[in-house]
Amino acid sequence: MEHSAPSHFINFEDQISCFDFSTHDWSQNLCCIALSNRIVVGIIKLPEESHSDHFEWKILKEIFHEAHCQALAISPETSLSIFPKNVVIAAAGGDFNIRILTSDLDEQHTVRVLKGHNNYINAIAWETDGEFLASVSDDYSCILWDARADFEISTRFYMTAAGMAVKWHPEVKDKLLVAAKDGIVSVYNVKTEQVVLTLETMKFPLMSCDWSTKNRHCVVALAAGELFAWDLRKPSRPIHTKQLHEDGGLVVKISPANENLTASIGRPDLTLKVIHSKASLPVISAPLKLFGGIGWLSRHIAAAYDRKLCLWNVLTK
């Protein structure tokens, strides 16, 4: 099929290592982008959301970050509607530490370094109310950091392999989804500190996993380039599987507007694919060559391609 050109893109001075969009009410359209030694905080305005027909990008602040950034997550505590503004970002560094960066986007700025992992951190995620931060690492562990208690380690539990993905669900309190590289996906009850549900991809390496915010029963994982989708009400086997990337997949994200739409990046040639579960051909296919993550923003899928953040408009029906 033909390659899909992005609808919009933003240029940066150096290569993007990762990025995150805010999904929270008080900081909608806030975007954090990690470059070699700093995190750029800005606002994206999409044409359908503004009074003009233009795509807008406005930088609000650049925050120094000394280690190579592996993962970013914007806290639900972040608010642009108060004065002074309050932006709270978790950044996982290549030095195995997490930094909690707090800024009023003016003069006030603090950094809190969280030490607990002893290998690369692959994913981080804030609990819906910002009470906990979860992180998973190549050290086979998942750590819950208590934001209300100065980010002390509240719980640490071990997995059967490197932790590749972690996700809280906005509607399912006290449940945490964690995925290990050997294909084991677990739903963990934070209160009882027990695994309450286990899914298995039957293929590995599992590189990515996501939990639909639209449908809390829908979970997908990408393992050995194959997409696995489950209905948690019938978890014994996937409801469907589909080979997406011949030489292996890297990341998968479910559209917040439609649980049947997923975006993934994999090899060969680091190709972005957006697929509908009921269609045989991708909705979007685009070669990237370099990888800096993907994320959904409204009806757009974004992917970092070297020094560009590219956005494609996706029909979500």
Side-chain angles (χ1 to χ4, degrees):
M1 68 173 289
E2 286 185 20
H3 293 314
S4 317
S7 329
H8 317 286
F9 59 86
I10 307 164
N11 286 310
F12 292 91
E13 289 173 17
D14 53 18
Q15 192 180 331
I16 299 166
S17 57
C18 59
F19 67 94
D20 188 40
F21 294 132
S22 171
T23 55
H24 316 299
D25 291 344
W26 308 115
S27 55
Q28 281 188 343
N29 290 19
L30 189 73
C31 179
C32 293
I33 293 146
L35 305 178
S36 57
N37 63 352
R38 64 197 187 282
I39 293 164
V40 180
V41 182
I43 288 276
I44 288 176
K45 286 192 179 170
L46 298 166
E48 61 266 29
E49 297 171 341
S50 60
H51 299 300
S52 70
D53 295 330
H54 302 301
F55 172 83
E56 292 176 36
W57 161 248
K58 182 185 178 187
I59 294 175
L60 303 176
K61 187 78 175 173
E62 293 195 358
I63 300 169
F64 174 72
H65 187 267
E66 61 186 299
H68 177 79
C69 196
Q70 311 272 114
L72 282 172
I74 300 169
S75 167
E77 301 277 297
T78 295
S79 177
L80 303 180
S81 59
I82 57 172
F83 185 81
K85 293 178 173 63
N86 183 45
V87 173
V88 182
I89 306 160
D95 57 357
F96 315 156
N97 297 324
I98 297 170
R99 287 167 180 79
I100 306 297
L101 310 168
T102 306
S103 175
D104 65 357
L105 301 181
D106 192 17
E107 297 300 318
Q108 292 297 316
H109 174 65
T110 62
V111 181
R112 171 93 168 81
V113 180
L114 311 186
K115 295 177 181 289
H117 287 295
N118 58 28
N119 211 324
Y120 290 108
I121 299 160
N122 295 314
I124 51 178
W126 292 95
E127 184 264 336
T128 322
D129 299 324
E131 198 168 326
F132 292 99
L133 178 72
S135 57
V136 290
S137 162
D138 279 353
D139 65 10
Y140 289 33
S141 79
C142 175
I143 294 178
L144 300 188
W145 310 85
D146 189 341
R148 303 284 187 268
D150 200 28
F151 291 98
E152 287 181 5
I153 294 177
S154 160
T155 310
R156 182 201 296 266
F157 60 92
Y158 287 92
M159 292 174 282
T160 47
M164 301 305 292
V166 62
K167 179 92 181 237
W168 303 83
H169 197 281
E171 294 171 11
V172 189
K173 294 290 183 187
D174 304 321
K175 301 293 191 300
L176 182 68
L177 186 82
V178 291
K181 201 168 189 174
D182 61 358
I184 304 292
V185 180
S186 306
V187 179
Y188 183 83
N189 186 316
V190 175
K191 278 195 170 168
T192 63
E193 300 188 5
Q194 298 290 323
V195 172
V196 292
L197 187 65
T198 303
L199 312 168
E200 208 167 332
T201 60
M202 299 162 292
K203 285 192 176 181
F204 53 86
L206 180 152
M207 297 303 287
S208 183
C209 187
D210 199 16
W211 196 353
S212 168
T213 55
K214 181 86 171 169
N215 174 1
R216 63 192 179 128
H217 301 299
C218 174
V219 167
V220 301
L222 194 59
E226 192 168 329
L227 180 75
F228 293 81
W230 293 271
D231 182 333
L232 294 185
R233 293 165 295 192
K234 299 172 280 185
S236 57
R237 53 185 301 171
I239 49 172
H240 70 259
T241 65
K242 185 179 285 193
Q243 189 70 37
L244 295 183
H245 304 281
E246 293 166 27
D247 296 339
L250 289 174
V251 62
V252 64
K253 291 275 173 99
I254 305 172
S255 163
N258 184 342
E259 70 270 25
N260 293 308
L261 267 180
T262 59
S264 62
I265 292 176
R267 296 186 172 90
D269 295 334
L270 290 180
T271 303
L272 165 71
K273 289 184 181 180
V274 178
I275 64 147
H276 193 287
S277 62
K278 295 179 174 64
S280 56
L281 290 174
V283 181
I284 285 170
S285 177
L288 297 174
K289 304 296 181 192
L290 286 165
F291 173 68
I294 57 172
W296 287 94
L297 181 66
S298 185
R299 296 195 302 271
H300 290 74
I301 184 67
Y305 174 8
D306 194 10
R307 301 178 182 202
K308 280 190 174 84
L309 185 68
C310 303
L311 292 95
W312 289 260
N313 198 350
V314 182
L315 290 172
T316 53
K317 297 297 181 200

